[in-house]
Amino acid sequence: MFFSKCKKCGGKKVSIITNIDIEIHGTMRKATNVPAKQCEKCGDIVVNDIILERLKKYAQDYPSRNLDYAKYEEEESAASQILF
Ligand SMILES: [Zn+2]
């Protein structure tokens, strides 16, 4: 079973919601409300690759906007409901 452990110090990682800077096509963007894991010991933050991919797609869809991950998720689920 997968156990989330800090690669740097071996500390326990907990789920958090955080703001990150992310480089997309050579441009730094700010992303807010991003789910991540943070080490309780050293404070190291890791964002899941799947979430990073979604943020990149989001940045392409909304080049001028601040990236609010929670809002994006909301819009995505609203859009899939409209399809029915
Ligand atoms: Zn750590």
mmCIF file of all heavy atoms in Angstrom, residues 4-25:
data_model
loop_
_atom_site.group_PDB
_atom_site.id
_atom_site.type_symbol
_atom_site.label_atom_id
_atom_site.label_comp_id
_atom_site.label_asym_id
_atom_site.label_seq_id
_atom_site.Cartn_x
_atom_site.Cartn_y
_atom_site.Cartn_z
ATOM 1 N N SER A 4 2.483 7.796 2.042
ATOM 2 C CA SER A 4 3.042 9.086 1.690
ATOM 3 C C SER A 4 4.082 9.528 2.715
ATOM 4 O O SER A 4 3.755 9.829 3.858
ATOM 5 C CB SER A 4 1.916 10.107 1.604
ATOM 6 O OG SER A 4 2.374 11.261 0.964
ATOM 7 N N LYS A 5 5.348 9.516 2.260
ATOM 8 C CA LYS A 5 6.446 9.857 3.148
ATOM 9 C C LYS A 5 7.331 10.902 2.486
ATOM 10 O O LYS A 5 7.519 10.874 1.270
ATOM 11 C CB LYS A 5 7.285 8.593 3.406
ATOM 12 C CG LYS A 5 7.472 8.273 4.875
ATOM 13 C CD LYS A 5 7.985 6.866 5.043
ATOM 14 C CE LYS A 5 9.440 6.838 5.418
ATOM 15 N NZ LYS A 5 9.957 5.476 5.611
ATOM 16 N N CYS A 6 7.899 11.786 3.269
ATOM 17 C CA CYS A 6 8.743 12.842 2.735
ATOM 18 C C CYS A 6 10.026 12.261 2.150
ATOM 19 O O CYS A 6 10.697 11.462 2.800
ATOM 20 C CB CYS A 6 9.077 13.847 3.833
ATOM 21 S SG CYS A 6 10.127 15.194 3.260
ATOM 22 N N LYS A 7 10.351 12.677 0.911
ATOM 23 C CA LYS A 7 11.569 12.167 0.272
ATOM 24 C C LYS A 7 12.822 12.777 0.905
ATOM 25 O O LYS A 7 13.901 12.214 0.822
ATOM 26 C CB LYS A 7 11.546 12.490 -1.229
ATOM 27 C CG LYS A 7 10.604 11.597 -2.011
ATOM 28 C CD LYS A 7 10.910 11.680 -3.494
ATOM 29 C CE LYS A 7 10.010 10.778 -4.308
ATOM 30 N NZ LYS A 7 8.757 11.435 -4.741
ATOM 31 N N LYS A 8 12.663 13.944 1.502
ATOM 32 C CA LYS A 8 13.827 14.638 2.052
ATOM 33 C C LYS A 8 14.184 14.163 3.454
ATOM 34 O O LYS A 8 15.337 13.910 3.760
ATOM 35 C CB LYS A 8 13.581 16.148 2.070
ATOM 36 C CG LYS A 8 13.631 16.742 0.680
ATOM 37 C CD LYS A 8 13.431 18.247 0.707
ATOM 38 C CE LYS A 8 13.462 18.796 -0.725
ATOM 39 N NZ LYS A 8 12.995 20.183 -0.795
ATOM 40 N N CYS A 9 13.162 14.041 4.316
ATOM 41 C CA CYS A 9 13.479 13.730 5.717
ATOM 42 C C CYS A 9 12.762 12.483 6.231
ATOM 43 O O CYS A 9 13.000 12.054 7.350
ATOM 44 C CB CYS A 9 13.158 14.932 6.606
ATOM 45 S SG CYS A 9 11.393 15.192 6.832
ATOM 46 N N GLY A 10 11.861 11.906 5.419
ATOM 47 C CA GLY A 10 11.146 10.708 5.866
ATOM 48 C C GLY A 10 9.967 10.996 6.769
ATOM 49 O O GLY A 10 9.338 10.090 7.291
ATOM 50 N N GLY A 11 9.659 12.281 6.936
ATOM 51 C CA GLY A 11 8.552 12.678 7.799
ATOM 52 C C GLY A 11 7.203 12.346 7.201
ATOM 53 O O GLY A 11 7.095 12.009 6.027
ATOM 54 N N LYS A 12 6.174 12.468 8.015
ATOM 55 C CA LYS A 12 4.822 12.171 7.579
ATOM 56 C C LYS A 12 4.265 13.332 6.749
ATOM 57 O O LYS A 12 4.410 14.485 7.114
ATOM 58 C CB LYS A 12 3.941 11.938 8.809
ATOM 59 C CG LYS A 12 2.566 11.383 8.480
ATOM 60 C CD LYS A 12 1.745 11.303 9.765
ATOM 61 C CE LYS A 12 0.270 11.288 9.442
ATOM 62 N NZ LYS A 12 -0.537 11.737 10.575
ATOM 63 N N LYS A 13 3.587 12.971 5.629
ATOM 64 C CA LYS A 13 2.994 14.009 4.781
ATOM 65 C C LYS A 13 1.502 14.096 5.039
ATOM 66 O O LYS A 13 0.820 13.081 5.142
ATOM 67 C CB LYS A 13 3.247 13.682 3.318
ATOM 68 C CG LYS A 13 4.721 13.788 2.976
ATOM 69 C CD LYS A 13 4.917 14.482 1.657
ATOM 70 C CE LYS A 13 6.303 15.081 1.596
ATOM 71 N NZ LYS A 13 6.527 15.913 0.463
ATOM 72 N N VAL A 14 1.014 15.317 5.147
ATOM 73 C CA VAL A 14 -0.413 15.525 5.371
ATOM 74 C C VAL A 14 -1.008 16.291 4.196
ATOM 75 O O VAL A 14 -0.317 17.034 3.503
ATOM 76 C CB VAL A 14 -0.677 16.298 6.690
ATOM 77 C CG1 VAL A 14 -0.297 15.448 7.889
ATOM 78 C CG2 VAL A 14 0.070 17.616 6.719
ATOM 79 N N SER A 15 -2.321 16.107 3.974
ATOM 80 C CA SER A 15 -2.994 16.798 2.882
ATOM 81 C C SER A 15 -3.270 18.242 3.259
ATOM 82 O O SER A 15 -3.752 18.520 4.355
ATOM 83 C CB SER A 15 -4.308 16.096 2.562
ATOM 84 O OG SER A 15 -4.038 14.817 2.065
ATOM 85 N N ILE A 16 -2.964 19.129 2.338
ATOM 86 C CA ILE A 16 -3.218 20.558 2.547
ATOM 87 C C ILE A 16 -3.799 21.156 1.265
ATOM 88 O O ILE A 16 -3.760 20.543 0.209
ATOM 89 C CB ILE A 16 -1.933 21.333 2.930
ATOM 90 C CG1 ILE A 16 -0.853 21.154 1.840
ATOM 91 C CG2 ILE A 16 -1.405 20.920 4.280
ATOM 92 C CD1 ILE A 16 0.203 22.241 1.851
ATOM 93 N N ILE A 17 -4.321 22.367 1.412
ATOM 94 C CA ILE A 17 -4.701 23.171 0.253
ATOM 95 C C ILE A 17 -3.771 24.374 0.270
ATOM 96 O O ILE A 17 -3.672 25.071 1.277
ATOM 97 C CB ILE A 17 -6.171 23.639 0.354
ATOM 98 C CG1 ILE A 17 -7.132 22.448 0.430
ATOM 99 C CG2 ILE A 17 -6.536 24.536 -0.814
ATOM 100 C CD1 ILE A 17 -7.229 21.603 -0.816
ATOM 101 N N THR A 18 -3.082 24.593 -0.853
ATOM 102 C CA THR A 18 -2.051 25.621 -0.836
ATOM 103 C C THR A 18 -2.057 26.459 -2.113
ATOM 104 O O THR A 18 -2.800 26.167 -3.056
ATOM 105 C CB THR A 18 -0.665 24.971 -0.630
ATOM 106 O OG1 THR A 18 0.293 25.985 -0.392
ATOM 107 C CG2 THR A 18 -0.231 24.166 -1.853
ATOM 108 N N ASN A 19 -1.247 27.506 -2.116
ATOM 109 C CA ASN A 19 -1.039 28.318 -3.312
ATOM 110 C C ASN A 19 0.367 28.046 -3.812
ATOM 111 O O ASN A 19 1.310 28.012 -3.018
ATOM 112 C CB ASN A 19 -1.178 29.803 -2.976
ATOM 113 C CG ASN A 19 -2.519 30.130 -2.367
ATOM 114 O OD1 ASN A 19 -3.501 29.422 -2.562
ATOM 115 N ND2 ASN A 19 -2.559 31.203 -1.606
ATOM 116 N N ILE A 20 0.516 27.848 -5.123
ATOM 117 C CA ILE A 20 1.844 27.575 -5.669
ATOM 118 C C ILE A 20 2.119 28.459 -6.878
ATOM 119 O O ILE A 20 1.206 28.973 -7.507
ATOM 120 C CB ILE A 20 2.013 26.086 -6.084
ATOM 121 C CG1 ILE A 20 0.962 25.684 -7.131
ATOM 122 C CG2 ILE A 20 1.961 25.171 -4.869
ATOM 123 C CD1 ILE A 20 1.294 24.390 -7.859
ATOM 124 N N ASP A 21 3.407 28.611 -7.176
ATOM 125 C CA ASP A 21 3.822 29.220 -8.438
ATOM 126 C C ASP A 21 4.151 28.069 -9.371
ATOM 127 O O ASP A 21 4.852 27.141 -8.997
ATOM 128 C CB ASP A 21 5.073 30.085 -8.225
ATOM 129 C CG ASP A 21 4.761 31.306 -7.383
ATOM 130 O OD1 ASP A 21 3.692 31.889 -7.583
ATOM 131 O OD2 ASP A 21 5.591 31.651 -6.524
ATOM 132 N N ILE A 22 3.636 28.133 -10.584
ATOM 133 C CA ILE A 22 3.864 27.048 -11.528
ATOM 134 C C ILE A 22 4.305 27.626 -12.869
ATOM 135 O O ILE A 22 3.753 28.629 -13.326
ATOM 136 C CB ILE A 22 2.603 26.162 -11.667
ATOM 137 C CG1 ILE A 22 2.840 25.036 -12.669
ATOM 138 C CG2 ILE A 22 1.353 26.967 -11.999
ATOM 139 C CD1 ILE A 22 1.706 24.020 -12.731
ATOM 140 N N GLU A 23 5.332 27.003 -13.465
ATOM 141 C CA GLU A 23 5.816 27.470 -14.753
ATOM 142 C C GLU A 23 5.098 26.717 -15.861
ATOM 143 O O GLU A 23 5.148 25.492 -15.920
ATOM 144 C CB GLU A 23 7.332 27.261 -14.864
ATOM 145 C CG GLU A 23 7.893 27.993 -16.075
ATOM 146 C CD GLU A 23 9.370 27.705 -16.290
ATOM 147 O OE1 GLU A 23 10.092 27.476 -15.306
ATOM 148 O OE2 GLU A 23 9.788 27.693 -17.466
ATOM 149 N N ILE A 24 4.383 27.464 -16.718
ATOM 150 C CA ILE A 24 3.660 26.863 -17.826
ATOM 151 C C ILE A 24 4.109 27.537 -19.117
ATOM 152 O O ILE A 24 3.924 28.731 -19.291
ATOM 153 C CB ILE A 24 2.137 26.991 -17.625
ATOM 154 C CG1 ILE A 24 1.726 26.194 -16.380
ATOM 155 C CG2 ILE A 24 1.385 26.485 -18.855
ATOM 156 C CD1 ILE A 24 0.428 26.621 -15.751
ATOM 157 N N HIS A 25 4.717 26.751 -19.983
ATOM 158 C CA HIS A 25 5.256 27.252 -21.251
ATOM 159 C C HIS A 25 6.127 28.486 -21.037
ATOM 160 O O HIS A 25 5.951 29.504 -21.694
ATOM 161 C CB HIS A 25 4.127 27.549 -22.244
ATOM 162 C CG HIS A 25 3.240 26.366 -22.490
ATOM 163 N ND1 HIS A 25 3.724 25.168 -22.951
ATOM 164 C CD2 HIS A 25 1.913 26.182 -22.301
ATOM 165 C CE1 HIS A 25 2.718 24.316 -23.049
ATOM 166 N NE2 HIS A 25 1.615 24.900 -22.645
#
